Amino acid sequence: MERTLIKDLGQKVGEKAFIQGSVSVRRDQGKMVFFDFRDRSGSVQGVVLPKSEAIETAKEVRSEYVVSAEGTVNKRPDKNVNLDVQNGDIELEVHSINILSKAEIPFELGSDVNLDTYLDHLPFTLRSEKSKNIFKIQATIAEAFREAMRGRDFIEFQTPSIVGGDAEGGAAAFKVDYYYDQKAFLATSPQLYKQMMAGVFERVFTVCKIFRGEKHATTRHLSEAVCMDFEMTFIKDHTDVMNMLEHVMKHIVAKVIEKHGDTLQNMGVEMLLVPEKFPVLKLREAQEILGVSQSEPDLEPEHERALWEWAKKEHNSDFVFVTHFPLSKRPFYTYEDEEDRGYTKYFDLLFRGLEINSGGQRVHDYRELVERIKGKGLDPEKFSFYLEAFKVGMPPHGGSSTGLERMTARLLDLHNVKEATLFPRDLNRIDSLLSTDEK
Ligand code: ATP
Ligand code: MG
């Protein structure tokens, strides 16, 4: 018999059906055995009657056994109907059951365990409803990002992960043991390639891995993260980039609500506040609101959280842009505001109290860029490959980078970005127990 997905069983009342999946729970009630079966489409209650041929096997089955089962789809008696759950008005009266794989589980799936235990058992814990929902929603975020970009005529490109040098100066880059004693690193950002590609296609985006040797254990840093980057040319200034990013964010939020509205509600996620225009503050204005010194070059995590409170109260917004960070603390390609010397046409986008994106206008003039590289005490010769893109003519341009895990975590109110990362890498964790470790 052909497999029926569990979500479709309701259309087969009175008929026979064959399902495949896992057993979430087994309950013995007198001589009858009840199961909750689940597959990728949902779950259903099954019942094995004492006279059924399946009863012996049914008693053997434990939580998480992988089984196939054949039975008749019945309407539940009125008193047992539960309209709050999927398939709450039907049950499968099981005639035969076949164990495809036995299971030995460390604890019940979905148990409230601490983060370390959760991470130690990822091949198992990722199967819980909560985890599946997090990563389904994350897939929608990435898909909606791509959709928004393509809709605005951006072309997707693949950026290298192994690079010969580091855009940000080397401190956070992982060195790679590469061929022939060549110097190589894992990319900390697609930044320089993204700019070169903007020179080729005008509008580009990439969804890629970045690798950073973050030395401190925080709830927002991973050593391997996914970023959603774009770069666009012929801009008037950074505000064109901000407007594009705002469009992208609105599209992502709308898609997530459209596809996962019920899940968000079940997860207890607060309604997202997305105003027509996201509020914008210069760093110095933000510092004034927060009552912190304007000599600080950046915001601390607690300041970012406080700005969320401000944005909610004053603008009914979960998003807030902070612009004009001091030039001295930003990378060499950062564009200085001619009308606000010493400060940059750069921004961070904070979402629910956390930086999820940075971007801005870049320096596009070859000579100026060479000067800026020198100004940082770096040797322009070492950037000549990148600089060639500017030597051969580069339009005014800018772009931004969104951290996928951070965005997912804040959207779903997860405390630690690792909860929004399938297999997080950090100071202590790299899944060493899946290899022979021979070298
Ligand atoms: P932070 O100051 O919070 O360390 P950053 O300013 O160094 O972040 P950017 O270089 O601006 O980070 O990177 C762009 C985006 O990529 C960030 O806004 C963030 O969402 C994400 N990101 C950067 N580094 C990490 C990381 N180590 N782990 C997770 N996400 C990251
Ligand atoms: Mg940043």
Side-chain angles (χ1 to χ4, degrees):
M1 199 188 267
E2 286 250 334
R3 179 185 188 189
T4 300
L5 283 180
I6 285 175
K7 74 173 168 49
D8 298 327
L9 285 175
Q11 298 155 23
K12 293 206 152 191
V13 173
E15 294 175 39
K16 281 200 169 158
F18 174 69
I19 62 168
Q20 291 182 307
S22 296
V23 170
S24 299
V25 191
R26 191 194 90 181
R27 290 181 300 274
D28 289 8
Q29 233 169 59
K31 290 189 172 149
M32 292 194 289
V33 177
F34 287 87
F35 291 108
D36 286 341
F37 292 113
R38 66 166 198 277
D39 68 9
R40 69 175 192 273
S41 73
S43 58
V44 69
Q45 174 170 288
V47 55
V48 187
L49 300 174
K51 63 178 188 324
S52 165
E53 275 176 26
I55 196 72
E56 286 311 312
T57 323
K59 291 198 164 161
E60 247 184 74
V61 170
R62 299 282 177 275
S63 292
E64 300 310 313
Y65 273 34
V66 183
V67 299
S68 60
E70 200 193 305
T72 307
V73 183
N74 291 333
K75 274 257 170 262
R76 286 195 202 178
D78 279 349
K79 65 176 181 6
N80 294 343
V81 168
N82 178 1
L83 292 178
D84 293 337
V85 300
Q86 185 188 21
N87 288 326
D89 57 340
I90 58 166
E91 66 187 5
L92 186 73
E93 185 191 328
V94 177
H95 305 312
S96 73
I97 191 163
N98 187 14
I99 296 171
L100 301 174
S101 174
K102 293 188 176 182
E104 217 177 290
I105 55 175
F107 39 81
E108 282 301 317
L109 192 58
S111 306
D112 212 1
V113 292
N114 69 35
L115 185 60
D116 268 319
T117 307
Y118 168 83
L119 294 175
D120 285 342
H121 293 281
L122 281 171
F124 175 60
T125 49
L126 282 173
R127 297 181 181 195
S128 72
E129 274 316 298
K130 183 178 175 191
S131 295
K132 284 195 290 188
N133 285 332
I134 293 170
F135 295 103
K136 272 187 201 168
I137 290 171
Q138 185 164 79
T140 300
I141 294 175
E143 189 181 305
F145 171 75
R146 289 190 160 103
E147 206 172 66
M149 298 279 41
R150 286 195 199 105
R152 293 288 169 104
D153 214 16
F154 283 73
I155 293 177
E156 183 165 10
F157 78 100
Q158 304 298 331
T159 194
S161 292
I162 301 176
V163 296
D166 177 49
E168 316 287 336
F174 292 109
K175 202 155 189 280
V176 179
D177 199 0
Y178 202 58
Y179 306 117
Y180 315 123
D181 297 330
Q182 283 198 74
K183 229 184 182 180
F185 300 90
L186 293 178
T188 56
S189 146
Q191 180 61 32
L192 305 188
Y193 288 94
K194 203 167 59 153
Q195 290 182 263
M196 293 187 256
M197 289 311 298
V200 176
F201 286 131
E202 287 196 20
R203 292 185 162 203
V204 293
F205 73 96
T206 186
V207 178
C208 67
K209 287 287 177 78
I210 58 167
F211 306 89
R212 295 184 180 187
E214 308 280 4
K215 296 278 179 347
H216 308 287
T218 72
T219 55
R220 62 189 195 286
H221 288 108
L222 301 155
S223 45
E224 175 178 333
V226 176
C227 60
M228 306 188 292
D229 275 51
F230 70 83
E231 198 74 15
M232 58 196 279
T233 54
F234 300 105
I235 58 171
K236 121 180 133 283
D237 58 24
H238 60 299
T239 58
D240 285 344
V241 181
M242 289 159 74
N243 288 337
M244 184 63 71
L245 179 61
E246 196 175 284
H247 163 72
V248 171
M249 288 295 145
K250 285 180 181 168
H251 185 77
I252 292 175
V253 169
K255 271 279 155 181
V256 168
I257 291 172
E258 181 192 317
K259 280 183 93 166
H260 309 282
D262 291 348
T263 308
L264 295 182
Q265 217 166 16
N266 293 340
M267 289 175 84
V269 172
E270 278 195 35
M271 251 224 324
L272 286 143
L273 303 173
V274 187
E276 189 53 35
K277 283 305 290 171
F278 295 177
V280 183
L281 292 170
K282 283 189 175 183
L283 176 66
R284 282 157 289 166
E285 292 170 322
Q287 286 166 328
E288 196 177 324
I289 290 170
L290 298 168
V292 299
S293 163
Q294 296 191 338
S295 60
E296 293 295 324
D298 210 339
L299 295 169
E300 295 297 327
E302 68 264 27
H303 301 147
E304 296 187 345
R305 284 193 292 273
L307 272 190
W308 180 27
E309 294 308 319
W310 173 86
K312 277 198 286 194
K313 194 157 153 265
E314 300 293 326
H315 296 270
N316 207 25
S317 179
D318 279 334
F319 292 92
V320 53
F321 277 115
V322 180
T323 67
H324 290 81
F325 292 88
L327 186 62
S328 55
K329 292 282 179 181
R330 295 277 143 167
F332 61 78
Y333 46 77
T334 312
Y335 202 100
E336 184 178 16
D337 191 340
E338 303 87 336
E339 284 163 20
D340 192 359
R341 288 285 172 197
Y343 295 91
T344 56
K345 289 186 168 177
Y346 251 62
F347 59 82
D348 276 2
L349 178 64
L350 313 186
F351 173 47
R352 293 183 155 176
L354 179 68
E355 175 200 322
I356 61 158
N357 177 296
S358 287
Q361 182 170 3
R362 330 287 190 193
V363 176
H364 65 276
D365 179 75
Y366 172 70
R367 280 167 210 291
E368 190 184 339
L369 196 52
V370 169
E371 288 312 310
R372 292 288 301 280
I373 290 174
K374 284 189 194 157
K376 288 277 176 192
L378 300 166
D379 177 5
E381 251 322 291
K382 297 215 162 124
F383 289 88
S384 58
F385 183 71
Y386 165 71
L387 284 170
E388 184 162 333
F390 298 81
K391 214 173 186 175
V392 299
M394 182 66 111
H397 66 283
S400 80
S401 174
T402 306
L404 177 61
E405 298 87 352
R406 282 196 194 177
M407 175 155 197
T408 312
R410 291 320 298 135
L411 203 147
L412 298 177
D413 198 20
L414 306 172
H415 172 67
N416 195 318
V417 77
K418 287 176 202 159
E419 294 172 72
T421 311
L422 280 172
F423 300 100
R425 272 80 178 90
D426 63 19
L427 286 171
N428 309 311
R429 206 170 276 281
I430 191 169
D431 304 341
S432 52
L433 297 178
L434 45 64
S435 69
T436 55
D437 197 20
E438 278 169 15
K439 183 87 202 281

